[in-house]
Amino acid sequence: MKINLMDFSCEELKKLATELGQPAFRGKQLYEWIYKGAESFDDMTNISKEFRQKLDEIAVIGNAKISEKYVSKIDETRKYLLELDDGNFIESVLMKYEYGYTICVSSQVGCKMGCRFCASTLNGWSRNLSPGEILSQVLCVQKDLGQRISNIVMMGIGEPLDNFDNVLKFVELVNAPGGLNIGQRHISISTCGLADKIRILAEKNLQITLLISLHAPDDERRSGIMPVNNRFNISELMSACDYYIEKSGRRISFEYTLISGVNDNLEEADVLAGLLRGKLCHVNLIPVNKVKETGFDKSSRKRVDEFRNRLEKRGISATVRREMGSDINAACGQLRNRKSNIPTE
Ligand code: SAH
């Protein structure tokens, strides 16, 4: 198997160059070409032909390639189905906000977590993405857009903390000043609640934003829609969150997707408020995206507002997440499923 140069930091590429009998600055040149969007070694005109041939034998620039692209006419949101070197497909979504462009990237091919409302997990998990494959989503979409992407959310296909080391390496890569130079405060990682990994993440002293997919305020209901709750229950999850807040000093955001008749009673808002009372946190409410197989429907707009008001009344700050790209609606995982002939809508 060839190595993927996108997995390497600038320092690592310099080391690689010297190991291949080249001066270290060749590694820096390689690095610059990769971030300039070079797709093959032929593009690298300031590197000798001999060295390019050598690289071609042992390495690839493991770029994701655009297979399908949908652009919303309402808000310019773009959804991409990307093909990896081994023929697997993943999805990335680009959103435009006042403060710049945000990309939502995938961390795995498929997902093991089994959340009942989620399309990404319907066909299970195939493999982890390498750090370079996560990075290549940003580079590929940025090249297509022709403008700088300033924020990253890891909310695409997969569970980032189930691919812990590669996700951390990815954060290091996008953070690098000579590369994309995206600050940690502009990076969010969303997890379904792997409490053991949240504790390890807390030790890393990062400035990233942690998002927790909570979706229900008590164990019975949460286990009913999120099997991960049988591994780490709400009390274990909350204690890991407290530890994270204490260590990082950063506010945590709790994601709560509102599903009609499942988790959207106002009494559940009360229990949720009790659970989060006193925590440095915020709640994002998201009307569930319909995925045919799951049979779940979104809560009414009225109920969403009532739920939010109830939380606010009890002192918990909450916002309703704006739905974006609703005319190209393909909730996470649906494009990939269709491409892989896994029936969805
Ligand atoms: N595995 C991570 C990140 C990927 S999912 C996690 O669970 O957080 C990103 C977010 O989308 C999560 O909050 C997830 O619960 C939510 N989500 C998944 N399917 C959804 C759907 N059909 N409608 C609304 N949100 C959904």
Side-chain angles (χ1 to χ4, degrees):
M1 262 247 313
K2 292 184 178 182
I3 51 173
N4 179 2
L5 296 188
M6 273 208 190
D7 288 333
F8 288 62
S9 66
C10 188
E11 284 311 307
E12 288 165 343
L13 283 176
K14 284 188 196 164
K15 191 161 164 271
L16 179 74
T18 53
E19 280 165 9
L20 295 172
Q22 296 285 322
F25 74 85
R26 290 266 176 265
K28 180 135 191 287
Q29 287 174 325
L30 273 175
Y31 184 77
E32 286 164 358
W33 278 116
I34 291 169
Y35 285 81
K36 259 191 256 169
E39 282 172 15
S40 86
F41 297 115
D42 296 338
D43 296 346
M44 303 181 175
T45 43
N46 58 356
I47 293 175
S48 75
K49 211 164 176 192
E50 202 187 351
F51 186 42
R52 279 189 265 158
Q53 267 166 6
K54 173 80 195 153
L55 286 169
D56 208 26
E57 282 163 27
I58 61 161
V60 292
I61 308 164
N63 250 317
K65 301 209 170 34
I66 299 173
S67 168
E68 292 175 25
K69 170 174 138 182
Y70 303 88
V71 183
S72 164
K73 293 191 177 62
I74 303 170
D75 54 27
E76 294 177 50
T77 296
R78 297 170 174 220
K79 292 195 172 164
Y80 292 88
L81 182 72
L82 301 177
E83 184 170 5
L84 302 171
D85 280 350
D86 67 352
N88 270 306
F89 292 96
I90 50 169
E91 292 171 38
S92 308
V93 181
L94 184 83
M95 291 154 292
K96 188 180 181 184
Y97 294 105
E98 309 82 66
Y99 51 81
Y101 287 97
T102 296
I103 187 170
C104 172
V105 294
S106 297
S107 57
Q108 298 179 312
V109 181
C111 185
K112 301 172 195 164
M113 297 299 138
C115 298
R116 303 262 185 268
F117 43 83
C118 182
S120 300
T121 198
L122 281 173
N123 197 42
W125 173 89
S126 302
R127 67 173 178 87
N128 283 332
L129 295 184
S130 78
E133 285 175 323
I134 309 175
L135 172 71
S136 79
Q137 298 169 60
V138 187
L139 288 173
C140 168
V141 170
Q142 185 165 270
K143 193 173 179 187
D144 183 59
L145 179 70
Q147 297 201 57
R148 181 171 188 263
I149 293 174
S150 55
N151 290 269
I152 298 174
V153 293
M154 304 206 73
M155 293 186 97
I157 297 170
E159 166 51 46
L161 298 191
D162 187 41
N163 185 14
F164 195 86
D165 293 344
N166 290 351
V167 163
L168 251 57
K169 175 77 187 280
F170 161 72
V171 170
E172 185 193 316
L173 291 177
V174 289
N175 215 198
L180 289 173
N181 196 14
I182 298 180
Q184 288 182 10
R185 284 175 181 250
H186 298 270
I187 303 172
S188 300
I189 295 182
S190 180
T191 175
C192 64
L194 300 179
D196 55 345
K197 299 288 168 44
I198 293 171
R199 285 178 182 276
I200 302 173
L201 190 64
E203 301 289 346
K204 304 283 178 190
N205 289 321
L206 299 177
Q207 291 296 300
I208 54 129
T209 299
L210 184 63
L211 310 175
I212 306 286
S213 300
L214 188 59
H215 304 322
D218 60 78
D219 281 327
E220 199 189 327
R221 253 173 283 241
R222 192 162 193 267
S223 297
I225 50 174
M226 299 180 72
V228 67
N229 199 64
N230 296 311
R231 242 165 99 198
F232 302 103
N233 65 21
I234 290 188
S235 132
E236 288 166 290
L237 176 57
M238 288 303 134
S239 125
C241 288
D242 288 339
Y243 184 68
Y244 187 88
I245 293 168
E246 183 197 316
K247 276 272 173 189
S248 67
R250 306 271 298 155
R251 185 177 87 162
I252 284 185
S253 286
F254 290 96
E255 308 287 303
Y256 196 103
T257 186
L258 286 159
I259 311 174
S260 180
V262 173
N263 63 359
D264 68 343
N265 277 326
L266 296 185
E267 167 215 312
E268 274 140 14
D270 294 337
V271 182
L272 180 62
L275 186 69
L276 301 183
R277 185 161 300 133
K279 275 197 210 320
L280 185 61
C281 74
H282 181 79
V283 174
N284 288 320
L285 297 170
I286 314 137
V288 76
N289 275 311
K290 194 164 173 64
V291 177
K292 203 173 147 217
E293 292 76 357
T294 66
F296 292 138
D297 284 322
K298 64 174 75 170
S299 311
S300 68
R301 183 69 222 188
K302 181 166 167 276
R303 176 49 59 91
V304 172
D305 289 339
E306 287 167 350
F307 201 95
R308 192 195 83 91
N309 292 342
R310 192 76 161 237
L311 287 176
E312 291 274 346
K313 208 175 111 200
R314 301 200 177 275
I316 303 294
S317 81
T319 39
V320 178
R321 178 156 303 153
R322 191 153 59 94
E323 282 182 80
M324 297 187 76
S326 50
D327 56 332
I328 51 166
N329 194 7
C332 208
Q334 295 191 10
L335 291 179
R336 172 175 171 262
N337 290 352
R338 203 190 60 219
K339 189 76 182 181
S340 322
N341 291 324
I342 305 157
T344 54
E345 283 190 311

